[in-house]
Amino acid sequence: TMAAQALGAMADHKSASEVEALIEIFDGTEDPGLKVSAALALAGIGTPEACAFLVEVSQRGDSDADLALSVLPLVLSTYAQESLIHVVRDSDLPQATRVAAVSALQYQGSPNVRTVLLNMGISTSDTELREALALALAEDGDGQERQPQGTQGEEVERRI
């Protein structure tokens, strides 16, 4: 649709100023295609504000939460790194949200991220989180920045 194409263009610009408009579109529409496009655009922009919104939505306990959990691992921007690290460390957040943040961080090969993931792997007693951390660390063995397989849309389609 024309609206979905416009949202894609917003994501391509990766402009932080468009995050608020994307949040309003996400929360204001019942059209599933627009919701997916807005969520993908937010993940693509990847600012701390976009990341925080996706984390908040992931806790709603509805279909929007499922969508947010599906796109959160696609936040690849280094601008969201600190926000994602905070999510992984926050034991008050739901396990699924923390695991999704680990999935996003595994593609960011910075030494800081690797150290955080290693420390979390040592200190957490949460089995699922520990498994996600081990996978993330195994995928990032050479410190190179990783990209997820397929396009963002294909990845979301597989998860939904």
Side-chain angles (χ1 to χ4, degrees):
T1 69
M2 188 78 109
Q5 290 173 343
L7 291 176
M10 291 172 81
D12 289 343
H13 290 138
K14 298 198 182 295
S15 171
S17 64
E18 295 173 342
V19 170
E20 189 173 316
L22 288 166
I23 289 171
E24 288 178 21
I25 291 167
F26 184 94
D27 278 338
T29 187
E30 294 300 318
D31 180 330
L34 282 180
K35 276 199 187 281
V36 168
S37 294
L40 286 170
L42 287 163
I45 291 172
T47 62
E49 296 79 14
C51 185
F53 177 74
L54 292 171
V55 167
E56 182 266 315
V57 172
S58 77
Q59 299 173 70
R60 291 182 182 174
D62 58 11
S63 62
D64 286 353
D66 294 338
L67 176 57
L69 287 170
S70 294
V71 301
L72 195 56
L74 302 175
V75 175
L76 302 178
S77 170
T78 55
Y79 295 113
Q81 221 173 62
E82 289 302 316
S83 297
L84 291 167
I85 287 170
H86 175 74
V87 170
V88 172
R89 288 180 170 163
D90 189 346
S91 60
D92 292 332
L93 288 173
Q95 177 190 63
T97 301
R98 296 172 74 200
V99 168
V102 168
S103 295
L105 286 169
Q106 84 181 24
Y107 300 109
Q108 300 189 20
S110 81
N112 181 44
V113 168
R114 189 160 176 79
T115 300
V116 168
L117 296 179
L118 280 168
N119 288 337
M120 282 300 302
I122 292 167
S123 65
T124 188
S125 59
D126 182 316
T127 305
E128 189 173 334
L129 184 60
R130 185 178 287 230
E131 288 173 5
L133 289 160
L135 178 64
L137 290 165
E139 293 289 322
D140 188 31
D142 62 2
Q144 296 297 311
E145 183 173 328
R146 302 280 189 244
Q147 296 298 320
Q149 299 299 313
T151 65
Q152 289 181 348
E154 289 170 0
E155 182 71 19
V156 170
E157 288 300 317
R158 281 195 298 268
R159 292 174 184 228
I160 294 180

